[in-house]
Amino acid sequence: MSRVLHITGARPNFPKAAPVLAALEGSVEQVLVHTGQHYDDRLSRVFFDELGLPEPDLNLGAGSGSHATQTAAVMVGLEQVFLERQPDLVVVYGDINSTLAAALVAAKLLIPVAHVEAGLRSFDPTMPEEVNRRVTDQLSDLLLVTSADAVGHLAREGIAAGRIHFTGNPMIDTLLKHLDRFDEAAARQRHGLSGDYLVATLHRPSNVDDPAAVAQLVSVLHKAAERMPVVIPLHPRGRAGLEAAGLLESSGVVVSDPLPYTAFLGLVRGAAAVLTDSGGVQEEASVLGVPCLTMRPNTERPVTITHGTNRLVGVEGVLAALDEVLDAPPLERPAPLEKRPPLWDGQAGPRIAGVVLDWLAAR
Ligand code: UDP
């Protein structure tokens, strides 16, 4: 039996990896590695419990630090693991530092790499994730993409067509699988909400690191909260800065700790709109049929604009866009299949497994 090592490390990885592990179950020997990039239980443990992910076989405990410190710690840990376990294939997910670290270590040991969610590009060099995406894709043997635009980006970067596979979005497999558990009434009760409300998530460095940007963001959130309550499950990244800038000084702002997956998506499902700088949330809101206002100057997920509910508005454009969205007729929730991006149908995991198994058989 071939041995496949899956490398996960942070919150956005887990809903992507779960369907791939499930679809490969029984066909290959699987080893699940958690690098420990996210070690806070609220960003990690809860996902394993809820998504039915197997307990990680190994946790490297890499922890946080500067980009170099963290990437290096993961590389050192993974080199040992790869030498000991001798995998036939390493599967990496998304665009976090652990993704890049795993691809670098595997490439130098001549171990093939499959990248799930390859080819996304924001073309924004200030995003650390953009560096991780580009380099990981150059080092990968199998590029598994979630949207057609990603195929074009990879082709332009010189990746051979035979290595690129449009398999759809495994994060949406996870969303559709757990849809019945996204309980909007429970979310309202949990956060003390009776009428309409907004959800906001913020953690990108461009929004939460620079004090001037934080001040602008807090002012926009306060103004939005004059229309209806804004529930903000706050990522630990940036929390202190947002609070220091007075985030809690509006009675309409409801801050919580990061929520478990189903609680979070129950909250999003019932929201009038979502304000976010998250990558995954743009995708999830699109499929749930919830208007999404992305507080960034660019997105690596343009398919959520062309085939979803997303609008790129920046922080400065939130209030005007919010007026438009709240005045528009309500959207169908969840979005029907024909209004979703192609192959966001709940079958990406099996398609990815098919590509992986064919590739392993051909070796
Ligand atoms: N998420 C969650 N609880 C929260 C906020 C987000 O479970 O309080 C989930 C969300 O549904 C999505 C993932 O975390 O599946 C996205 O992660 P994040 O926004 O941290 O990363 P990004 O997608 O921006 O890389």
Side-chain angles (χ1 to χ4, degrees):
M1 231 189 204
S2 300
R3 180 175 299 151
V4 174
L5 253 65
H6 300 266
I7 312 302
T8 60
R11 178 166 77 179
N13 285 168
F14 307 126
K16 297 168 194 171
V20 180
L21 274 121
L24 284 170
E25 184 60 32
S27 304
V28 292
E29 181 195 333
Q30 307 202 78
V31 179
L32 178 56
V33 181
H34 190 322
T35 64
Q37 182 175 330
H38 275 172
Y39 45 83
D40 185 325
D41 278 352
R42 298 164 305 174
L43 300 180
S44 175
R45 175 78 263 153
V46 294
F47 283 81
F48 283 80
D49 296 342
E50 278 203 304
L51 301 183
L53 269 167
E55 197 61 32
D57 298 284
L58 297 162
N59 191 322
L60 304 181
S64 51
S66 70
H67 283 276
T69 307
Q70 188 173 64
T71 309
V74 176
M75 287 180 72
V76 171
L78 283 180
E79 187 176 50
Q80 194 61 33
V81 172
F82 292 175
L83 287 170
E84 279 168 13
R85 302 280 179 142
Q86 296 288 324
D88 297 291
L89 182 69
V90 165
V91 185
V92 300
Y93 297 87
D95 55 19
I96 64 170
N97 287 340
S98 299
T99 312
L100 169 67
L104 275 169
V105 173
K108 292 204 175 178
L109 293 174
L110 303 181
I111 298 167
V113 176
H115 183 200
V116 172
E117 203 184 78
L120 296 187
R121 297 290 179 267
S122 66
F123 300 100
D124 180 350
T126 68
M127 276 185 95
E129 295 91 339
E130 185 72 357
V131 179
N132 297 345
R133 293 180 193 122
R134 283 180 179 277
V135 179
T136 301
D137 285 341
Q138 284 298 325
L139 298 175
S140 296
D141 299 78
L142 283 175
L143 296 107
L144 303 152
V145 313
T146 53
S147 59
D149 54 300
V151 178
H153 298 146
L154 294 171
R156 277 189 290 282
E157 290 170 20
I159 310 265
R163 285 159 59 194
I164 307 171
H165 302 269
F166 181 16
T167 40
N169 192 336
M171 193 167 200
I172 301 307
D173 289 22
T174 298
L175 179 130
L176 295 173
K177 180 173 174 194
H178 297 285
L179 195 58
D180 291 347
R181 296 168 60 201
F182 303 158
D183 186 341
E184 161 182 348
R188 281 175 185 279
Q189 203 175 20
R190 187 177 305 114
H191 300 284
L193 303 160
S194 44
D196 288 341
Y197 64 92
L198 303 168
V199 174
T201 80
L202 342 133
H203 68 88
R204 292 255 108 72
S206 56
N207 282 335
V208 300
D209 282 2
D210 167 45
V214 174
Q216 186 194 13
L217 184 59
V218 167
S219 149
V220 165
L221 292 169
H222 282 178
K223 292 207 178 88
E226 286 168 13
R227 298 211 45 173
M228 58 183 73
V230 184
V231 188
I232 314 179
L234 258 191
H235 196 287
R237 190 172 202 301
R239 179 165 191 154
L242 286 158
E243 291 187 357
L247 180 65
L248 304 177
E249 284 161 23
S250 157
S251 58
V253 167
V254 183
V255 164
S256 84
D257 279 345
L259 293 170
Y261 179 77
T262 52
F264 177 69
L265 287 168
L267 184 68
V268 171
R269 184 181 204 172
V274 178
L275 321 180
T276 194
D277 60 13
S278 157
V281 174
Q282 295 171 54
E283 298 182 342
E284 291 163 335
S286 285
V287 172
L288 290 173
V290 176
C292 178
L293 304 180
T294 293
M295 300 185 289
R296 287 175 42 190
N298 49 57
T299 178
E300 61 291 325
R301 292 164 162 89
V303 75
T304 58
I305 300 174
T306 54
H307 293 71
T309 63
N310 191 19
R311 294 191 195 195
L312 204 53
V313 297
V315 174
E316 64 293 345
V318 164
L319 297 169
L322 194 56
D323 285 340
E324 283 175 33
V325 157
L326 297 179
D327 289 345
L331 303 168
E332 193 176 338
R333 298 185 182 204
L337 187 59
E338 67 278 8
K339 292 206 171 149
R340 288 184 222 149
L343 303 191
W344 290 25
D345 58 357
Q347 295 304 314
R351 280 192 288 267
I352 290 169
V355 170
V356 165
L357 293 174
D358 287 350
W359 184 88
L360 287 167
R363 268 168 70 80

